[in-house]
Amino acid sequence: AQKITQTQPGMFVQEKEAVTLDCTYDTSDQSYGLFWYKQPSSGEMIFLIYQGSYDEQNATEGRYSLNFQKARKSANLVISASQLGDSAMYFCAMRTNNQGGKLIFGQGTELSVKP
Amino acid sequence: DGGITQSPKYLFRKEGQNVTLSCEQNLNHDAMYWYRQDPGQGLRLIYYSQIVNDFQKGDIAEGYSVSREKKESFPLTVTSAQKNPTAFYLCASSFRLGQGRNQPQHFGDGTRLSIL
């Protein structure tokens, strides 16, 4: 069965420091996509970064980077130089090859950035 | 600006009542999705549509219905058969899977549904 696991319900980080949010996944597909979304308290889901299963290099988008270890089936999100506005829920998701390419989401990690 | 508009932002349902959540997109996406989010949980797929006049059940479709008469619109009806409708509902759209695996799903701002 396809599954996303986020084992950190909550994380704290000091402003300006880096933080890693963990994500492991399970799939028997050879081709898949991994996404990270940010959900502020207002509720909208904001796309942050994408990693394809065949991508050889780790994805980066500004302060966000993805530490992709395919053999371990992990896709951890690294946020560098944390800002107060980074406080939010963060979801790891996998795009499947069935059900119209639906996203399977993890339970999320609540990140709190301390001043 | 292109995006997804969901309305209303808050909705209250009386027992035995059907309510409809609106979702409109101007991103020219073929695929649209409805997800449900319960407190402290990730999102679960209710229904999806890859093309006009076609839609499929997701993982938790019981008690819900949808229509896709226009490319831009994908309304969700929460029927009286859905016994636990209180949740946050998110609509999303994207290019179809074959059009670009790396294309993210774009989400609306959501509708919070509660029972009166």
Side-chain angles (χ1 to χ4, degrees):
Chain A
Q2 295 173 313
K3 188 177 179 181
I4 294 283
T5 303
Q6 295 179 254
T7 57
Q8 307 153 312
M11 291 278 287
F12 288 92
V13 65
Q14 202 70 37
E15 192 178 8
K16 299 180 185 176
E17 291 186 351
V19 63
T20 298
L21 306 184
D22 294 341
C23 172
T24 58
Y25 60 92
D26 190 15
T27 181
S28 57
D29 292 343
Q30 297 301 309
S31 178
Y32 50 87
L34 296 161
F35 299 82
W36 277 91
Y37 284 86
K38 172 184 178 181
Q39 187 179 41
S41 57
S42 50
E44 71 269 31
M45 297 288 282
I46 302 167
F47 165 68
L48 296 177
I49 196 167
Y50 164 84
Q51 180 82 42
S53 58
Y54 293 122
D55 295 340
E56 294 186 352
Q57 294 200 344
N58 288 340
T60 59
E61 289 285 349
R63 293 187 299 111
Y64 305 108
S65 61
L66 205 151
N67 183 0
F68 181 49
Q69 298 187 45
K70 193 171 181 177
R72 294 186 176 183
K73 292 190 173 180
S74 74
N76 299 338
L77 177 70
V78 180
I79 305 175
S80 63
S82 297
Q83 302 171 355
L84 295 178
D86 293 335
S87 295
M89 285 290 289
Y90 288 81
F91 289 96
C92 180
M94 177 169 59
R95 192 168 193 185
T96 66
N97 293 322
N98 52 28
Q99 290 193 298
K102 75 171 185 181
L103 293 175
I104 295 175
F105 285 83
Q107 301 278 69
T109 295
E110 184 171 10
L111 178 66
S112 297
V113 181
K114 298 187 290 184
Chain B
D1 282 339
I4 300 177
T5 301
Q6 287 188 242
S7 62
K9 195 172 179 68
Y10 299 94
L11 188 58
F12 298 91
R13 195 192 87 169
K14 296 179 182 179
E15 201 164 326
Q17 185 183 42
N18 293 352
V19 292
T20 297
L21 284 60
S22 170
C23 177
E24 303 275 334
Q25 56 99 359
N26 60 3
L27 298 168
N28 201 31
H29 288 158
D30 285 311
M32 297 188 74
Y33 310 82
W34 274 105
Y35 293 91
R36 170 179 169 142
Q37 185 178 27
D38 292 286
Q41 303 291 317
L43 280 63
R44 293 181 291 165
L45 182 68
I46 304 172
Y47 267 97
Y48 67 97
S49 167
Q50 294 201 82
I51 199 166
V52 175
N53 292 323
D54 184 63
F55 49 83
Q56 305 294 331
K57 293 182 179 180
D59 299 318
I60 54 167
E62 186 174 348
Y64 301 97
S65 66
V66 294
S67 63
R68 186 86 187 275
E69 296 176 3
K70 298 187 301 181
K71 185 175 183 176
E72 301 78 18
S73 178
F74 192 40
L76 173 74
T77 297
V78 184
T79 75
S80 56
Q82 172 50 244
K83 297 306 179 187
N84 184 23
T86 297
F88 188 51
Y89 292 87
L90 284 155
C91 177
S93 72
S94 73
F95 291 108
R96 277 183 289 151
L97 189 60
Q99 294 172 322
R101 189 173 305 281
N102 63 337
Q103 296 299 318
Q105 289 183 13
H106 297 266
F107 286 81
D109 290 346
T111 294
R112 294 190 187 277
L113 176 61
S114 302
I115 297 181
L116 280 178

